[in-house]
Amino acid sequence: MNLKLSAAGFAIQSAKGAAKAQPAWWGPVGGGGLVSFELEQTEDELTSAQVGAIGEYRAAVAIAADYESRMWPASIGALLYAVLGDIQTSEGTPAVKAVLTTALTGVNNDLTFLAKTAGAAGNDITVALVDPSGNDQDLAVTVSDNAISVSLATGSGGLITSTALDVRNAIRAKAEAAALVEASVAPGNDGSGVVTALAAANLAGGADASGTGASTHVITPDASLPWCTVFGAKDTERKAASDCKLDSLKIEWEGNNPVKVTPTWAGMGVAWSDAAYVPVLDESLLDYLKGIHLTAVLDLDGSGYDGGAEIKSGSVEIKRNIAGDTKSGQLEPSSLDEGSFECDVELVVRVPDLLPVRLLLTGAVDGDSVSADVPYGEFSLTFADSPDSVALAATRVAWKTSEPEASPAGGPAELTLQGRCYGNPAITATVINAVASY
């Protein structure tokens, strides 16, 4: 047997019990057990007239699969669907979200309002910042249909006191407004500046999906996952695990190297095959995405501040914590149940100074005491090699980091940023490729 002659793949089933005979996607691997067993075989602890124990018994068997592959544009969409669970596909030019970025008089006081839903309908949303023309007025947000009106706070002299951060936070806290737009501090601003009045202005640039050609797949977390069949071949030994669910998916890269994709599956059945598998798509000789294809947007605290970070490497890992249920009378699990959802990101970044550490500890780049509030930021990671692209984005990320150690060797400062993704959706994957549907 030559273990170099190994490959793996998978296919999405139409339902539980409807195992696939052949893989839909197939390719070489960088390692892993492929399709394997985790056997619970235990010594029976009884007294005996013999010196040794009387023997062992088998209580259960867990059917699993894991392997390291690459970010092939076709199969990565299916893997993200398998671990997240909800997919919406449109053909041709993808829908575009409408946006409004203010250009107010002053500094550090501009805001960006991005429609929550992509499409031309977002152009009907308006935002107004209203001077209430009174003393000691409170900041308030009202919504009527698609119109968002922010009545600004004023001081004892009637002057506006609301900063861009105040307005952003007020819109995010108003459920009706937050359902229409994602409010953020505009790039190049820190949000500390006092805003000015703004007459009702429409968001613009929103467009519906149209045309034919490449398909856009928008994939988000769902409570239930699709059933799959996973295939593995080690030289001439071939076996398939049926009724599988994807327990975790890790996407990682370093520098400009290939993006590694590691799925870990839990299954319910297994079958050996004497014949070689015939995949629908063998990706062995197809191009895959690499670190050189990455563009990223990083926000450490929701204000747009990225600390001047340059990403060197990173990973995104999605876990579904699948649990198998084994009943009396059978060794294989009779069901697979989704557990808690977890999505973690880790980025190794090079920074010009340690202000990001201070920000994450104190809540401000010039803060002096540790804040009781957790800073929530966001990220967008896009690997694109035209016409294919894969984008991973999260808008509520709890970041943390620690200071680097001093080094006699010197060199630039590097930080490891660790974050967990929250919100609904906690993460959104957008895949553009030639696959019509999954």
Side-chain angles (χ1 to χ4, degrees), residues 254-327:
E254 182 174 357
N256 296 320
N257 297 338
V259 181
K260 298 178 181 179
V261 177
T262 304
T264 301
W265 308 80
M268 293 175 57
V270 69
W272 278 260
S273 174
D274 293 329
Y277 295 124
V278 182
V280 176
L281 177 62
D282 187 341
E283 298 180 299
S284 300
L285 300 180
L286 301 182
D287 291 334
Y288 45 76
L289 295 169
K290 310 173 187 68
I292 190 67
H293 300 131
L294 174 67
T295 57
V297 177
L298 180 62
D299 181 348
L300 296 178
D301 66 345
S303 72
Y305 178 75
D306 65 4
E310 298 176 345
I311 297 176
K312 295 191 63 182
S313 63
S315 66
V316 176
E317 185 169 18
I318 302 166
K319 298 179 181 179
R320 298 308 300 255
N321 293 294
I322 303 294
D325 184 17
T326 302
K327 298 179 179 179

Side-chain angles (χ1 to χ4, degrees), residues 137-323:
Q137 299 296 304
D138 293 329
L139 179 63
V141 179
T142 58
V143 179
S144 177
D145 295 327
N146 289 323
I148 301 171
S149 179
V150 183
S151 181
L152 302 169
T154 60
S156 58
L159 296 178
I160 295 171
T161 58
S162 297
T163 66
L165 282 174
D166 293 334
V167 174
R168 182 203 69 178
N169 294 340
I171 289 178
R172 289 184 176 183
K174 183 72 172 180
E176 297 93 333
L180 291 174
V181 299
E182 173 66 32
S184 61
V185 175
N189 292 250
D190 64 15
S192 63
V194 173
V195 300
T196 62
L198 173 72
N202 285 80
L203 275 65
D208 295 327
S210 62
T212 59
S215 295
T216 299
H217 314 276
V218 180
I219 312 165
T220 52
D222 193 71
S224 59
L225 300 178
W227 296 96
C228 300
T229 304
V230 184
F231 303 83
K234 297 175 182 175
D235 201 341
T236 57
E237 192 213 48
R238 311 173 189 93
K239 54 181 179 288
S242 59
D243 290 334
C244 292
K245 288 189 175 182
L246 188 48
D247 183 46
S248 69
L249 180 67
K250 187 172 186 179
I251 298 170
E252 58 187 321
W253 72 97
E254 182 174 357
N256 296 320
N257 297 338
V259 181
K260 298 178 181 179
V261 177
T262 304
T264 301
W265 308 80
M268 293 175 57
V270 69
W272 278 260
S273 174
D274 293 329
Y277 295 124
V278 182
V280 176
L281 177 62
D282 187 341
E283 298 180 299
S284 300
L285 300 180
L286 301 182
D287 291 334
Y288 45 76
L289 295 169
K290 310 173 187 68
I292 190 67
H293 300 131
L294 174 67
T295 57
V297 177
L298 180 62
D299 181 348
L300 296 178
D301 66 345
S303 72
Y305 178 75
D306 65 4
E310 298 176 345
I311 297 176
K312 295 191 63 182
S313 63
S315 66
V316 176
E317 185 169 18
I318 302 166
K319 298 179 181 179
R320 298 308 300 255
N321 293 294
I322 303 294

Side-chain angles (χ1 to χ4, degrees), residues 415-429:
L415 298 178
T416 299
L417 298 172
Q418 296 174 317
R420 174 154 290 187
C421 306
Y422 296 94
N424 185 24
I427 188 168
T428 299

